[in-house]
Amino acid sequence: MPGLTGPSDYSQEPPRHPFLKINSKQPFNAEPPRSALVSSYVTPVDFFYKRNHGPIPVVDDIERYSVSISGLIDNPIELFMKDIWKLPKYVVTATLQCAGNRRTAMSNVKKVRGVGWDVSAIGNAVWGGAKLADVLELVGISNFTGTTNSGGKHVEFISIDKCKEENGGPYKASIPLSQATNPEADVLLAYDMNGEPLNRDHGYPLRVVVPGVIGARSVKWLDSINIIAEECQGFFMQKDYKMFAPSVNWDNINWSTRKPQMDFPVQCAICSLEDVAAVKPGKVKVSGYAASGGGRGIERIDVSVDGGKTWVETFRHQKTGVPYIADDMSSDKWAWVLFEVIVDVSRSTEIVAKAVDSAANVQPENVLEIWNLRGILNTSWHRVKVQVGHSNM
Protein backbone atom coordinates (compact mmCIF):
# COMPACT_ATOMS: atom_id res chain seq x y z
CA MET A 1 0.00 0.00 0.00
CA PRO A 2 1.76 3.18 -1.15
CA GLY A 3 1.33 6.34 0.89
CA LEU A 4 0.99 4.52 4.16
CA THR A 5 2.75 4.61 7.48
CA GLY A 6 1.04 2.04 9.67
CA PRO A 7 1.97 2.33 13.34
CA SER A 8 2.77 -0.96 15.01
CA ASP A 9 1.93 0.55 18.39
CA TYR A 10 -0.46 3.05 19.93
CA SER A 11 1.87 6.05 19.84
CA GLN A 12 0.00 7.89 17.06
CA GLU A 13 -3.59 7.72 18.25
CA PRO A 14 -5.82 10.66 17.21
CA PRO A 15 -7.41 13.08 19.73
CA ARG A 16 -10.85 12.14 21.07
CA HIS A 17 -13.67 13.95 22.85
CA PRO A 18 -13.23 13.93 26.65
CA PHE A 19 -16.91 13.01 27.22
CA LEU A 20 -16.54 9.60 25.57
CA LYS A 21 -16.90 6.59 27.83
CA ILE A 22 -13.77 4.50 27.17
CA ASN A 23 -14.46 0.77 27.22
CA SER A 24 -10.91 -0.21 26.25
CA LYS A 25 -7.82 1.93 25.64
CA GLN A 26 -5.74 -0.41 23.45
CA PRO A 27 -7.36 -0.95 21.03
CA PHE A 28 -9.46 2.16 21.53
CA ASN A 29 -13.16 1.43 21.97
CA ALA A 30 -15.46 4.13 23.26
CA GLU A 31 -19.04 5.37 23.15
CA PRO A 32 -20.74 8.68 23.92
CA PRO A 33 -23.06 9.30 26.87
CA ARG A 34 -26.51 7.99 25.92
CA SER A 35 -28.03 11.44 26.40
CA ALA A 36 -25.82 12.77 23.57
CA LEU A 37 -27.34 10.32 21.10
CA VAL A 38 -30.82 11.84 21.20
CA SER A 39 -29.64 15.44 21.01
CA SER A 40 -29.51 15.22 17.20
CA TYR A 41 -30.73 12.97 14.40
CA VAL A 42 -27.27 13.03 12.77
CA THR A 43 -24.64 11.96 15.30
CA PRO A 44 -21.69 14.40 15.48
CA VAL A 45 -18.43 12.71 14.45
CA ASP A 46 -16.91 13.30 17.90
CA PHE A 47 -19.81 11.42 19.50
CA PHE A 48 -19.95 8.56 17.01
CA TYR A 49 -18.85 5.36 18.72
CA LYS A 50 -15.26 4.26 18.10
CA ARG A 51 -14.74 0.54 17.42
CA ASN A 52 -11.20 -0.67 16.72
CA HIS A 53 -9.25 -3.92 16.71
CA GLY A 54 -5.74 -2.47 16.64
CA PRO A 55 -3.77 0.80 16.40
CA ILE A 56 -5.30 3.45 14.12
CA PRO A 57 -3.50 3.36 10.75
CA VAL A 58 -1.81 6.47 9.41
CA VAL A 59 -2.19 7.30 5.71
CA ASP A 60 0.20 10.18 5.15
CA ASP A 61 0.21 10.55 1.35
CA ILE A 62 -3.27 10.74 -0.15
CA GLU A 63 -1.81 11.09 -3.67
CA ARG A 64 -0.15 7.68 -3.47
CA TYR A 65 -2.93 5.90 -1.56
CA SER A 66 -4.73 3.32 -3.70
CA VAL A 67 -7.17 0.41 -3.53
CA SER A 68 -6.64 -2.69 -5.66
CA ILE A 69 -9.55 -4.72 -7.03
CA SER A 70 -8.69 -8.29 -7.98
CA GLY A 71 -9.76 -11.92 -7.63
CA LEU A 72 -12.24 -13.77 -9.83
CA ILE A 73 -12.44 -11.05 -12.48
CA ASP A 74 -10.89 -10.60 -15.92
CA ASN A 75 -9.28 -7.20 -15.46
CA PRO A 76 -7.89 -6.32 -12.01
CA ILE A 77 -7.26 -2.61 -11.46
CA GLU A 78 -5.74 -0.21 -8.97
CA LEU A 79 -7.82 2.83 -8.03
CA PHE A 80 -6.44 6.05 -6.62
CA MET A 81 -8.57 8.57 -4.74
CA LYS A 82 -8.73 10.78 -7.85
CA ASP A 83 -10.37 7.86 -9.70
CA ILE A 84 -12.93 7.36 -6.93
CA TRP A 85 -13.65 11.10 -6.69
CA LYS A 86 -14.47 11.08 -10.44
CA LEU A 87 -17.33 8.63 -9.93
CA PRO A 88 -20.82 9.97 -9.15
CA LYS A 89 -21.00 10.97 -5.49
CA TYR A 90 -23.90 9.63 -3.45
CA VAL A 91 -24.96 10.74 0.00
CA VAL A 92 -26.59 8.10 2.20
CA THR A 93 -27.87 8.65 5.73
CA ALA A 94 -27.23 5.36 7.50
CA THR A 95 -27.03 4.08 11.04
CA LEU A 96 -24.11 1.87 11.99
CA GLN A 97 -24.39 -0.31 15.07
CA CYS A 98 -21.82 -2.58 16.65
CA ALA A 99 -23.16 -6.13 17.03
CA GLY A 100 -22.09 -5.85 20.67
CA ASN A 101 -24.28 -2.83 21.45
CA ARG A 102 -25.90 -3.32 24.91
CA ARG A 103 -23.53 -6.20 25.67
CA THR A 104 -23.00 -5.05 29.28
CA ALA A 105 -26.67 -5.64 30.08
CA MET A 106 -26.43 -9.14 28.62
CA SER A 107 -23.28 -9.84 30.63
CA ASN A 108 -25.05 -8.71 33.80
CA VAL A 109 -27.48 -11.60 33.38
CA LYS A 110 -24.76 -14.15 32.60
CA LYS A 111 -21.11 -13.43 31.79
CA VAL A 112 -20.13 -13.02 28.12
CA ARG A 113 -16.86 -12.22 26.34
CA GLY A 114 -16.29 -8.95 24.53
CA VAL A 115 -16.01 -5.18 24.86
CA GLY A 116 -18.51 -3.96 27.45
CA TRP A 117 -20.83 -1.61 25.55
CA ASP A 118 -23.73 0.29 27.07
CA VAL A 119 -26.50 1.48 24.66
CA SER A 120 -24.37 3.88 22.59
CA ALA A 121 -22.38 1.60 20.27
CA ILE A 122 -24.58 3.04 17.54
CA GLY A 123 -24.67 6.25 15.55
CA ASN A 124 -26.32 7.84 12.54
CA ALA A 125 -24.23 9.68 9.96
CA VAL A 126 -24.49 11.18 6.50
CA TRP A 127 -21.98 9.22 4.42
CA GLY A 128 -20.67 10.50 1.10
CA GLY A 129 -18.83 8.51 -1.53
CA ALA A 130 -19.01 6.30 -4.58
CA LYS A 131 -21.44 3.41 -4.82
CA LEU A 132 -19.66 0.06 -4.73
CA ALA A 133 -21.89 -0.99 -7.63
CA ASP A 134 -20.34 1.80 -9.76
CA VAL A 135 -16.82 0.84 -8.70
CA LEU A 136 -17.41 -2.82 -9.63
CA GLU A 137 -18.62 -1.76 -13.07
CA LEU A 138 -15.05 -0.49 -13.66
CA VAL A 139 -13.87 -4.11 -13.55
CA GLY A 140 -16.67 -5.37 -15.80
CA ILE A 141 -19.18 -6.50 -13.16
CA SER A 142 -22.65 -5.25 -14.10
CA ASN A 143 -25.34 -4.15 -11.67
CA PHE A 144 -27.44 -6.94 -10.15
CA THR A 145 -24.77 -9.61 -10.75
CA GLY A 146 -24.87 -12.64 -8.45
CA THR A 147 -21.91 -14.54 -9.90
CA THR A 148 -19.00 -13.44 -12.10
CA ASN A 149 -17.97 -15.46 -15.14
CA SER A 150 -15.09 -16.85 -13.08
CA GLY A 151 -17.35 -17.93 -10.21
CA GLY A 152 -17.03 -14.93 -7.87
CA LYS A 153 -19.99 -14.68 -5.49
CA HIS A 154 -18.66 -12.54 -2.65
CA VAL A 155 -16.87 -9.21 -2.31
CA GLU A 156 -14.14 -9.20 0.32
CA PHE A 157 -12.89 -5.96 1.87
CA ILE A 158 -9.37 -5.99 3.30
CA SER A 159 -8.24 -3.24 5.65
CA ILE A 160 -4.90 -1.58 6.25
CA ASP A 161 -5.75 -2.23 9.92
CA LYS A 162 -3.75 -5.02 11.55
CA CYS A 163 -5.17 -6.99 14.47
CA LYS A 164 -4.10 -9.75 16.81
CA GLU A 165 -7.13 -11.92 15.97
CA GLU A 166 -5.72 -12.25 12.44
CA ASN A 167 -2.26 -13.02 13.90
CA GLY A 168 -1.05 -9.57 12.93
CA GLY A 169 -2.75 -9.70 9.54
CA PRO A 170 -5.40 -7.32 8.24
CA TYR A 171 -9.00 -7.02 9.37
CA LYS A 172 -11.36 -8.26 6.65
CA ALA A 173 -14.99 -9.05 5.92
CA SER A 174 -17.22 -9.75 2.94
CA ILE A 175 -20.73 -9.29 1.60
CA PRO A 176 -22.55 -11.17 -1.17
CA LEU A 177 -21.82 -9.95 -4.71
CA SER A 178 -25.57 -9.63 -5.30
CA GLN A 179 -25.74 -7.02 -2.52
CA ALA A 180 -22.57 -5.24 -3.63
CA THR A 181 -23.83 -4.84 -7.22
CA ASN A 182 -27.32 -3.70 -6.26
CA PRO A 183 -27.37 0.12 -6.48
CA GLU A 184 -30.44 0.18 -4.22
CA ALA A 185 -28.46 -1.51 -1.41
CA ASP A 186 -26.51 1.78 -1.21
CA VAL A 187 -23.19 0.14 -0.29
CA LEU A 188 -20.63 2.93 -0.42
CA LEU A 189 -16.91 3.42 -0.63
CA ALA A 190 -17.20 6.47 1.60
CA TYR A 191 -14.74 9.32 1.94
CA ASP A 192 -17.05 11.82 3.67
CA MET A 193 -18.85 11.69 7.02
CA ASN A 194 -21.33 14.44 7.89
CA GLY A 195 -20.04 16.60 5.04
CA GLU A 196 -16.37 16.45 6.05
CA PRO A 197 -13.57 14.09 5.01
CA LEU A 198 -13.45 10.97 7.17
CA ASN A 199 -11.27 11.37 10.23
CA ARG A 200 -8.73 8.72 11.20
CA ASP A 201 -10.96 7.02 13.77
CA HIS A 202 -13.64 6.46 11.16
CA GLY A 203 -11.51 5.14 8.33
CA TYR A 204 -9.61 7.96 6.58
CA PRO A 205 -9.19 8.13 3.68
CA LEU A 206 -11.69 5.48 2.48
CA ARG A 207 -14.02 2.99 4.12
CA VAL A 208 -16.88 0.71 3.23
CA VAL A 209 -20.37 1.51 4.51
CA VAL A 210 -22.84 -1.38 4.29
CA PRO A 211 -26.21 0.01 5.42
CA GLY A 212 -28.57 -2.17 7.44
CA VAL A 213 -25.81 -4.62 8.40
CA ILE A 214 -23.82 -4.94 11.64
CA GLY A 215 -20.93 -2.51 11.77
CA ALA A 216 -18.30 -5.26 11.56
CA ARG A 217 -18.86 -5.54 7.78
CA SER A 218 -18.29 -1.82 7.12
CA VAL A 219 -14.51 -2.13 6.83
CA LYS A 220 -12.47 1.00 7.57
CA TRP A 221 -9.12 2.07 6.04
CA LEU A 222 -9.77 0.11 2.86
CA ASP A 223 -6.68 -1.50 1.33
CA SER A 224 -8.08 -3.86 -1.29
CA ILE A 225 -11.20 -5.54 -2.66
CA ASN A 226 -11.24 -9.20 -3.68
CA ILE A 227 -13.92 -10.97 -5.68
CA ILE A 228 -14.05 -14.46 -4.18
CA ALA A 229 -16.07 -17.67 -4.57
CA GLU A 230 -16.86 -18.29 -0.90
CA GLU A 231 -17.48 -15.80 1.88
CA CYS A 232 -14.41 -14.29 3.56
CA GLN A 233 -12.55 -16.74 5.79
CA GLY A 234 -11.28 -14.04 8.15
CA PHE A 235 -11.58 -14.36 11.93
CA PHE A 236 -14.43 -11.85 12.29
CA MET A 237 -16.49 -13.65 9.65
CA GLN A 238 -15.84 -17.22 10.78
CA LYS A 239 -14.92 -17.18 14.49
CA ASP A 240 -16.89 -14.19 15.75
CA TYR A 241 -20.11 -12.21 15.23
CA LYS A 242 -22.30 -15.28 14.94
CA MET A 243 -25.52 -15.83 16.86
CA PHE A 244 -25.61 -19.03 18.95
CA ALA A 245 -28.25 -20.55 21.18
CA PRO A 246 -28.07 -19.89 24.95
CA SER A 247 -27.01 -23.51 25.52
CA VAL A 248 -23.79 -23.15 23.50
CA ASN A 249 -20.68 -22.55 25.63
CA TRP A 250 -16.94 -22.23 24.99
CA ASP A 251 -16.48 -25.99 25.45
CA ASN A 252 -19.05 -27.15 22.90
CA ILE A 253 -19.06 -24.31 20.35
CA ASN A 254 -18.75 -25.25 16.66
CA TRP A 255 -18.31 -22.01 14.73
CA SER A 256 -19.01 -23.65 11.37
CA THR A 257 -22.64 -24.38 12.30
CA ARG A 258 -23.66 -20.71 12.08
CA LYS A 259 -23.54 -18.20 9.25
CA PRO A 260 -21.86 -14.81 9.80
CA GLN A 261 -24.33 -12.27 11.14
CA MET A 262 -25.31 -9.63 8.59
CA ASP A 263 -28.55 -7.66 9.13
CA PHE A 264 -29.15 -6.39 12.64
CA PRO A 265 -32.52 -7.12 14.28
CA VAL A 266 -34.98 -4.49 15.46
CA GLN A 267 -33.55 -2.52 18.37
CA CYS A 268 -34.42 0.43 20.59
CA ALA A 269 -33.07 2.08 23.70
CA ILE A 270 -34.09 4.82 26.10
CA CYS A 271 -31.46 7.57 26.14
CA SER A 272 -33.08 10.29 28.25
CA LEU A 273 -32.74 8.24 31.45
CA GLU A 274 -29.83 6.26 32.87
CA ASP A 275 -30.26 2.65 34.05
CA VAL A 276 -31.20 4.01 37.46
CA ALA A 277 -32.60 7.54 37.41
CA ALA A 278 -33.96 9.81 40.14
CA VAL A 279 -36.99 11.84 39.05
CA LYS A 280 -39.61 14.07 40.63
CA PRO A 281 -43.19 12.77 40.63
CA GLY A 282 -45.21 13.94 37.63
CA LYS A 283 -44.39 14.31 33.93
CA VAL A 284 -41.25 12.53 32.70
CA LYS A 285 -39.93 12.70 29.15
CA VAL A 286 -38.83 9.35 27.73
CA SER A 287 -36.82 9.57 24.51
CA GLY A 288 -34.40 7.37 22.61
CA TYR A 289 -33.64 5.69 19.29
CA ALA A 290 -34.94 2.71 17.33
CA ALA A 291 -33.47 0.99 14.28
CA SER A 292 -33.84 -2.20 12.29
CA GLY A 293 -31.58 -3.88 9.76
CA GLY A 294 -32.05 -4.58 6.06
CA GLY A 295 -33.70 -1.24 5.36
CA ARG A 296 -36.79 -2.11 7.38
CA GLY A 297 -38.62 0.86 8.84
CA ILE A 298 -39.83 1.33 12.40
CA GLU A 299 -43.59 0.85 12.62
CA ARG A 300 -44.01 1.56 16.31
CA ILE A 301 -42.16 2.23 19.56
CA ASP A 302 -44.08 1.48 22.74
CA VAL A 303 -43.24 2.65 26.24
CA SER A 304 -44.54 1.22 29.51
CA VAL A 305 -44.32 2.81 32.96
CA ASP A 306 -45.49 -0.31 34.78
CA GLY A 307 -42.85 -2.81 33.71
CA GLY A 308 -44.73 -3.91 30.57
CA LYS A 309 -48.31 -4.36 31.77
CA THR A 310 -49.68 -1.41 29.78
CA TRP A 311 -48.17 0.57 26.91
CA VAL A 312 -48.34 3.96 25.21
CA GLU A 313 -47.20 4.63 21.67
CA THR A 314 -44.48 7.23 21.18
CA PHE A 315 -44.02 10.06 18.68
CA ARG A 316 -41.49 8.97 16.03
CA HIS A 317 -39.39 11.33 13.93
CA GLN A 318 -36.27 11.67 11.83
CA LYS A 319 -36.72 15.36 10.98
CA THR A 320 -37.50 17.35 14.15
CA GLY A 321 -41.23 17.76 14.68
CA VAL A 322 -42.17 15.89 11.47
CA PRO A 323 -43.94 12.58 12.09
CA TYR A 324 -41.97 9.65 10.68
CA ILE A 325 -43.71 7.23 8.29
CA ALA A 326 -42.11 3.80 7.97
CA ASP A 327 -40.99 2.82 4.46
CA ASP A 328 -42.16 6.15 3.02
CA MET A 329 -40.21 7.81 0.21
CA SER A 330 -39.63 10.82 2.48
CA SER A 331 -37.94 8.68 5.15
CA ASP A 332 -34.28 7.62 5.38
CA LYS A 333 -34.62 3.85 5.02
CA TRP A 334 -31.18 3.00 6.44
CA ALA A 335 -31.34 5.40 9.38
CA TRP A 336 -32.59 5.21 12.92
CA VAL A 337 -35.78 6.79 14.18
CA LEU A 338 -35.87 8.95 17.28
CA PHE A 339 -38.82 8.70 19.64
CA GLU A 340 -40.26 10.62 22.56
CA VAL A 341 -43.26 10.52 24.84
CA ILE A 342 -44.28 12.28 28.06
CA VAL A 343 -45.44 9.86 30.75
CA ASP A 344 -46.84 10.28 34.25
CA VAL A 345 -44.69 8.75 36.97
CA SER A 346 -46.11 8.86 40.49
CA ARG A 347 -44.00 6.21 42.19
CA SER A 348 -40.72 4.36 41.73
CA THR A 349 -41.10 1.94 38.84
CA GLU A 350 -39.50 0.39 35.77
CA ILE A 351 -39.88 2.15 32.43
CA VAL A 352 -39.65 -0.14 29.41
CA ALA A 353 -39.35 0.51 25.66
CA LYS A 354 -39.78 -1.88 22.74
CA ALA A 355 -39.84 -1.32 18.99
CA VAL A 356 -41.68 -3.04 16.15
CA ASP A 357 -40.30 -2.85 12.60
CA SER A 358 -42.19 -2.75 9.30
CA ALA A 359 -42.03 -6.55 9.01
CA ALA A 360 -43.74 -6.74 12.46
CA ASN A 361 -40.59 -8.06 14.11
CA VAL A 362 -40.65 -7.08 17.77
CA GLN A 363 -37.92 -7.03 20.40
CA PRO A 364 -37.85 -10.05 22.72
CA GLU A 365 -38.96 -9.42 26.29
CA ASN A 366 -36.02 -10.96 28.13
CA VAL A 367 -32.25 -11.09 27.69
CA LEU A 368 -32.10 -14.76 28.73
CA GLU A 369 -34.02 -15.84 25.63
CA ILE A 370 -31.33 -14.41 23.34
CA TRP A 371 -28.27 -14.76 25.60
CA ASN A 372 -25.22 -15.94 23.64
CA LEU A 373 -21.64 -16.46 24.70
CA ARG A 374 -20.24 -13.54 22.67
CA GLY A 375 -22.93 -11.16 23.87
CA ILE A 376 -24.04 -9.95 20.46
CA LEU A 377 -27.43 -8.61 19.38
CA ASN A 378 -28.90 -7.77 22.75
CA THR A 379 -32.19 -6.46 21.41
CA SER A 380 -34.31 -7.28 24.45
CA TRP A 381 -36.79 -4.73 25.81
CA HIS A 382 -34.83 -1.79 27.17
CA ARG A 383 -35.53 -1.18 30.86
CA VAL A 384 -34.62 1.66 33.18
CA LYS A 385 -35.48 2.01 36.85
CA VAL A 386 -36.81 5.35 38.05
CA GLN A 387 -36.77 6.30 41.69
CA VAL A 388 -39.29 8.99 42.58
CA GLY A 389 -38.16 11.47 45.17
CA HIS A 390 -39.38 14.83 46.35
CA SER A 391 -36.02 16.53 46.86
CA ASN A 392 -34.92 19.50 44.76
CA MET A 393 -33.00 18.01 41.84
Side-chain angles (χ1 to χ4, degrees), residues 110-133:
K110 185 180 170 187
K111 186 77 175 155
V112 298
R113 286 187 195 172
V115 176
W117 298 103
D118 187 40
V119 303
S120 303
I122 186 171
N124 189 48
V126 180
W127 307 97
K131 282 202 178 177
L132 179 59

Side-chain angles (χ1 to χ4, degrees), residues 4-112:
L4 170 71
T5 310
S8 56
D9 56 33
Y10 292 92
S11 63
Q12 299 185 59
E13 294 289 284
R16 278 100 177 199
H17 199 285
F19 285 177
L20 291 177
K21 177 187 172 226
I22 298 172
N23 297 325
S24 89
K25 285 188 175 177
Q26 295 183 355
F28 189 82
N29 290 290
E31 62 188 304
R34 62 175 71 174
S35 58
L37 282 186
V38 285
S39 62
S40 62
Y41 171 61
V42 174
T43 310
V45 174
D46 280 353
F47 283 151
F48 207 97
Y49 76 99
K50 322 293 181 197
R51 175 70 177 113
N52 298 298
H53 296 90
I56 307 299
V58 176
V59 175
D60 59 6
D61 188 345
I62 193 69
E63 300 288 325
R64 291 172 58 220
Y65 168 84
S66 65
V67 173
S68 61
I69 306 178
S70 58
L72 298 173
I73 51 175
D74 296 329
N75 49 337
I77 59 171
E78 192 171 5
L79 291 178
F80 292 85
M81 284 307 297
K82 62 179 171 47
D83 304 315
I84 292 163
W85 289 329
K86 282 177 190 168
L87 292 168
K89 181 180 180 180
Y90 289 88
V91 174
V92 175
T93 304
T95 296
L96 291 186
Q97 179 177 207
C98 178
N101 192 28
R102 299 182 58 201
R103 178 180 283 132
T104 297
M106 186 175 278
S107 204
N108 288 342
V109 171
K110 185 180 170 187
K111 186 77 175 155
V112 298

